[in-house]
Amino acid sequence: LATLKKSHKSMTGGYRDCKINLELKNHICEIQVHLWPMWVVCGVDGFRHYRHCQEYSTDDFHDPFDALDGLDRKAVAELIVMAEEAVADMPLDYLEWYHEKFILDYFAEIGLFMKHNLLVWAEVTIRHLIKLRCESPDIGVNHHETIQLQKYLEHCLRSQIKKNRLSKKDMKAKRNEADDLAERIEDVESEKHQEATEAEKSLLELIMDPAEAITLLMDPNKKERELEDRNRKEVKASKKQWRKIRAERFAFLDANENDGMYVDVA
């Protein structure tokens, strides 16, 4: 489980899994345990995403749309045409929360719209993606993807206000919505930060016995070993209990094995 520890850096692109090796008939088998959102991403051109992250060093980007920096308006316009062709088979109104590939394509299109100052187009698409992410049982309202989309929506609304091409009524409505979004984003992020802070409290603050604190400093893996020992004992106790139940209720199974006979117990 070391690969899941915070100190263990994820691979390029943010990929991380838990690998379990099993020995089966003189062969070593690998079982990978994934978080469902990561598995969904891997299932939609995951390796291509990983390869591009390596090639373009995207892990250094604060925002995924930073990849568009340096492109002139003509290049962005051409990319918008290509993006429109990519989503032509799935109109926005027909998009559902489980159409992950098209959701990612529309997300990329949002960045192009914003880069090209097509703010209304970006706003319409962002609103629909927020709705889909909220409907998704694997993501939901407070997921970081949903929050990031809301940040983009706030940016689009405030950018439209700055252009000063709206009526006073529309400008007021967009300003109020942008303020509400900013407040909600701040509340969610504050709550998540508080949860993370609580989860990362120092062991020294949680330990009442100073002697135990010194022991952990001298032997930082003590807790893990104790947990492994406890799990081993629980497994041993479970096996013992099962043998007892088997002897009491399913003695005929042992009898059949000894006699080389088969009995239908259905």
Side-chain angles (χ1 to χ4, degrees):
L1 299 178
T3 55
L4 298 182
K5 292 182 178 179
K6 187 174 181 180
S7 57
H8 186 88
K9 188 177 179 181
S10 61
M11 297 176 66
T12 303
Y15 178 83
R16 184 191 294 268
D17 63 25
C18 173
K19 291 182 174 62
I20 302 173
N21 292 327
L22 300 176
E23 184 177 355
L24 181 64
K25 295 183 179 180
N26 297 324
H27 292 279
I28 301 297
C29 305
E30 179 181 284
I31 297 176
Q32 293 184 3
V33 181
H34 294 261
L35 294 175
W36 177 249
M38 177 62 75
W39 182 251
V40 170
V41 172
C42 290
V44 184
D45 295 332
F47 181 74
R48 183 164 65 93
H49 170 74
Y50 168 74
R51 182 163 50 88
H52 288 172
C53 287
Q54 279 193 316
E55 184 176 355
Y56 302 112
S57 301
T58 56
D59 282 2
D60 298 331
F61 292 168
H62 175 70
D63 185 287
F65 297 150
D66 289 347
L68 301 175
D69 289 348
L71 297 179
D72 57 32
R73 286 184 60 81
K74 182 179 178 181
V76 174
E78 291 174 352
L79 287 173
I80 289 175
V81 173
M82 295 172 62
E84 287 290 304
E85 293 175 354
V87 298
D89 293 336
M90 180 60 69
L92 189 62
D93 291 339
Y94 291 92
L95 200 61
E96 299 290 348
W97 65 264
Y98 48 83
H99 292 145
E100 189 65 25
K101 177 185 182 303
F102 289 104
I103 288 176
L104 295 178
D105 288 339
Y106 274 108
F107 177 79
E109 194 175 46
I110 288 171
L112 295 170
F113 287 158
M114 293 171 61
K115 188 73 174 179
H116 208 58
N117 283 322
L118 298 173
L119 299 173
V120 175
W121 292 12
E123 177 188 343
V124 171
T125 307
I126 292 171
R127 289 186 187 279
H128 201 83
L129 293 193
I130 290 175
K131 173 178 174 292
L132 296 178
R133 284 319 197 195
C134 290
E135 291 175 353
S136 172
D138 303 313
I139 297 179
V141 178
N142 293 331
H143 192 273
H144 69 271
E145 285 189 29
T146 311
I147 298 302
Q148 185 63 43
L149 286 168
Q150 290 175 340
K151 289 180 179 180
Y152 291 140
L153 179 57
E154 181 196 355
H155 172 77
C156 285
L157 295 174
R158 296 198 188 281
S159 296
Q160 291 178 61
I161 293 170
K162 287 181 181 179
K163 285 182 175 292
N164 200 23
R165 296 177 182 174
L166 303 170
S167 66
K168 290 184 178 180
K169 180 179 179 181
D170 290 341
M171 190 175 294
K172 181 179 179 181
K174 289 185 181 294
R175 182 178 289 110
N176 289 340
E177 183 178 6
D179 291 342
D180 290 342
L181 282 168
E183 184 177 351
R184 167 169 159 51
I185 291 168
E186 183 179 0
D187 289 343
V188 172
E189 291 187 336
S190 176
E191 182 179 348
K192 288 187 176 182
H193 177 72
Q194 185 176 355
E195 291 175 356
T197 302
E198 290 293 329
E200 294 177 3
K201 276 186 176 178
S202 170
L203 285 175
L204 294 178
E205 296 178 1
L206 301 176
I207 297 171
M208 300 301 294
D209 185 0
E212 187 176 355
I214 295 174
T215 301
L216 284 179
L217 288 174
M218 300 298 295
D219 186 6
N221 296 322
K222 179 182 177 182
K223 287 289 184 181
E224 293 182 5
R225 286 204 313 276
E226 289 178 348
L227 180 61
E228 290 178 0
D229 290 341
R230 185 164 65 249
N231 290 339
R232 196 177 297 112
K233 290 178 181 179
E234 290 176 355
V235 170
K236 187 175 180 179
S238 298
K239 289 182 177 179
K240 183 177 180 181
Q241 183 64 22
W242 163 242
R243 284 194 291 268
K244 180 180 178 182
I245 294 174
R246 179 186 174 101
E248 293 176 353
R249 302 183 184 180
F250 305 103
F252 63 87
L253 293 176
D254 294 328
N256 291 339
E257 290 178 359
N258 294 332
D259 295 340
M261 297 174 61
Y262 172 79
V263 176
D264 186 358
V265 296

